[in-house]
Amino acid sequence: KNSILINVLAVVIVVLVSIMTAFACRRMRWRLSGFTKTLLLMGMMIPIHATLLPNYKIYSQLGLTDTIWALLIPYVAFSLPQGLFLMTSFIDQIPLELEEAAIMDGCGIYRIITPMLKPSIATVAIMAFLNNWNEFMMASTYLSSPKWKTLPFSVLEFTGQYSSNYAVQFAVMALTAAPAVIVYIILN
């Protein structure tokens, strides 16, 4: 349940924020829109594991280690640049005249744009879910008690100092892979 809760929250936040940010950077005219988009997309250049130690130090000072926020914040932060990249590409393909017609008819822009973004929403949701579902290093670094441990982290529960129960480990790995396959099939 921890894995599902953390990943669903991360995917929802990434999809919503990437839609709003992509729309603001591509359709609204303001001075720093290009700079903001470039700055957010530069997040794709930062390796996720390069931030383990600084994030751990910040989280321990703020008392966020071993909480849901210790995983949710980096999951959203590292999935957002890719979601923004995909959303801006899709928003560029939507004709501006549709938005102008929606404004003239008194309809909200998001009521017109969001249904047209269904393929990109599904793509961003699949990518964010798979990246965060299979993540192991941050969960093992930021979490110490079993309260918020995720499913990929539970494979270590069946490893001993001198031996391992491989049958149970492979069963847990199959259970770990099953939700990702199901989400991919549903959103495909």
Side-chain angles (χ1 to χ4, degrees), residues 86-87 90 117-129 187:
L86 292 170
M87 285 292 177
F90 274 87
L117 292 175
K118 282 182 184 176
S120 65
I121 291 171
T123 303
V124 169
I126 289 170
M127 298 295 286
F129 185 84
L187 293 178

Side-chain angles (χ1 to χ4, degrees), residues 24-57:
C25 289
R26 299 309 292 170
R27 297 298 181 152
M28 296 180 174
R29 301 290 174 228
W30 47 292
R31 184 179 299 174
L32 297 175
S33 65
F35 175 74
T36 303
K37 180 185 171 211
T38 304
L39 187 66
L40 289 173
L41 288 178
M42 285 177 61
M44 289 180 14
M45 295 173 30
I46 301 170
I48 192 168
H49 298 102
T51 64
L52 283 174
L53 183 60
N55 281 349
Y56 184 78
K57 190 166 184 161

Side-chain angles (χ1 to χ4, degrees), residues 28-100:
M28 296 180 174
R29 301 290 174 228
W30 47 292
R31 184 179 299 174
L32 297 175
S33 65
F35 175 74
T36 303
K37 180 185 171 211
T38 304
L39 187 66
L40 289 173
L41 288 178
M42 285 177 61
M44 289 180 14
M45 295 173 30
I46 301 170
I48 192 168
H49 298 102
T51 64
L52 283 174
L53 183 60
N55 281 349
Y56 184 78
K57 190 166 184 161
I58 291 169
Y59 292 159
S60 63
Q61 289 175 351
L62 295 175
L64 293 178
T65 54
D66 210 24
T67 63
I68 189 172
W69 299 106
L71 292 180
L72 194 58
I73 292 169
Y75 285 179
V76 170
F78 283 103
S79 297
L80 193 59
Q82 187 178 28
L84 176 63
F85 180 72
L86 292 170
M87 285 292 177
T88 54
S89 299
F90 274 87
I91 283 181
D92 285 341
Q93 302 302 316
I94 297 174
L96 191 58
E97 291 79 17
L98 288 173
E99 294 174 30
E100 293 170 354

